């Protein structure tokens, strides 16, 4: 029952359901996309923000396995590195190798969502909008860094999180955490 209540609460937060649990027009639009509700919400909301192509890339990256292989880049959690790899920019990914099969699948998936969203989905947007797009998909996982030396974050859902290993983005004052490993949470 607790998990069902959390899922309904998330769907209300995403605008897919109204407060009485009925599907909204936005929820109907989300259901047309064959993707997790979080990502469907982000994709739809990206169109008026003129960054739908970027949202399609992000959604595809989040739906596939990590395309970066090899240390230290694969241990870094910044999705911008994965966007760079997807766009063929090897400059920022250090010595990591790129799994070409994963990149090809990710590009195909992103292209399918662009087609579903229509002609406005070709508006690329700026990589700086990635955080905003992720916040649309994960409003309950917007995180603020807490005081102290350890990279601890407090999420909007009340949970805590920390980095299991050193990461360059661990000093950022705010993050959106798309993927949580239960072993790294704190309360």
């Amino acid at each position: 029952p607790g998990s069902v209540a959390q899922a309904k609460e998330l769907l209300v937060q995403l605008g897919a359901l109204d407060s009485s649990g009925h599907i909204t027009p936005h929820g109907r639009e989300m259901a047309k996309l064959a993707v997790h509700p979080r990502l469907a919400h982000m994709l739809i909301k990206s169109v008026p923000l003129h960054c739908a192509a970027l949202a399609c890339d992000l959604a595809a990256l989040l739906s596939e396995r990590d395309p970066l292989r090899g240390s230290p880049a694969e241990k870094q959690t910044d999705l911008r590195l994965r966007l760079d790899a997807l766009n063929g920019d090897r400059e920022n990914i250090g010595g990591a190798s790129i799994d070409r099969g994963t990149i090809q699948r990710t590009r195909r998936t992103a292209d399918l969502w662009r087609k579903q969203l229509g002609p406005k989905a070709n508006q690329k947007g700026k990589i700086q909008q990635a955080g905003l797009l992720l916040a649309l998909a994960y409003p309950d996982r917007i995180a603020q860094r807490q005081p102290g030396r350890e990279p601890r974050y407090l999420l909007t859902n009340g949970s805590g999180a920390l980095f299991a290993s050193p990461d360059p983005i661990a000093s950022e004052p705010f993050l959106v955490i798309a993927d949580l490993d239960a072993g790294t949470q704190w309360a």
Side-chain angles (χ1 to χ4, degrees):
S3 296
V4 171
Q6 275 184 315
K8 284 183 180 177
E9 183 180 325
L10 176 62
L11 290 172
V12 168
Q13 198 172 12
L14 295 175
L17 298 177
D18 63 23
S19 59
S20 59
H22 296 98
I23 193 165
T24 64
H26 180 64
R28 282 184 184 69
E29 289 298 310
M30 288 170 57
K32 291 178 186 176
L33 298 172
V35 66
H36 190 282
R38 289 179 182 277
L39 301 179
H41 175 70
M42 176 184 70
L43 289 170
I44 292 166
K45 292 294 185 178
S46 70
V47 173
L49 296 173
H50 309 290
C51 55
L54 177 61
C56 290
D57 288 348
L58 279 171
L61 280 167
L62 291 167
S63 299
E64 287 288 340
R65 68 186 196 136
D66 191 351
L68 297 184
R69 302 281 175 260
S71 169
E74 88 176 312
K75 293 181 180 167
Q76 293 182 28
T77 59
D78 194 341
L79 270 172
R80 291 175 295 192
L81 296 174
R82 279 84 184 154
L83 284 168
D84 287 343
L86 186 65
N87 293 318
D89 181 2
R90 299 185 58 90
E91 184 177 323
N92 296 325
I93 62 169
S97 62
I98 298 172
D99 183 328
R100 297 199 188 286
T102 300
I103 290 292
Q104 289 172 350
R105 280 191 310 278
T106 303
R107 286 179 180 150
R108 280 193 302 267
T109 301
D111 287 343
L112 286 172
W113 288 330
R114 282 185 190 92
K115 287 176 186 166
Q116 283 186 305
L117 290 177
K120 292 184 179 181
N122 292 324
Q123 299 170 327
K124 187 68 176 167
K126 296 182 172 106
I127 198 163
Q128 293 86 349
Q129 292 173 297
L132 169 64
L133 292 170
L134 289 172
L136 289 169
Y138 299 93
D140 54 329
R141 295 186 189 171
I142 298 170
Q144 182 177 18
R145 193 172 199 293
Q146 299 301 289
R149 295 183 69 196
E150 296 234 1
R152 294 180 181 263
Y153 286 82
L154 181 63
L155 283 67
T156 53
N157 69 9
S159 298
L162 60 89
F163 284 88
S165 58
D167 194 299
I169 66 169
S171 63
E172 294 292 329
F174 289 93
L175 296 173
V176 179
I177 302 174
D179 188 24
L180 285 169
D181 177 0
T184 60
Q185 293 182 355
W186 57 274

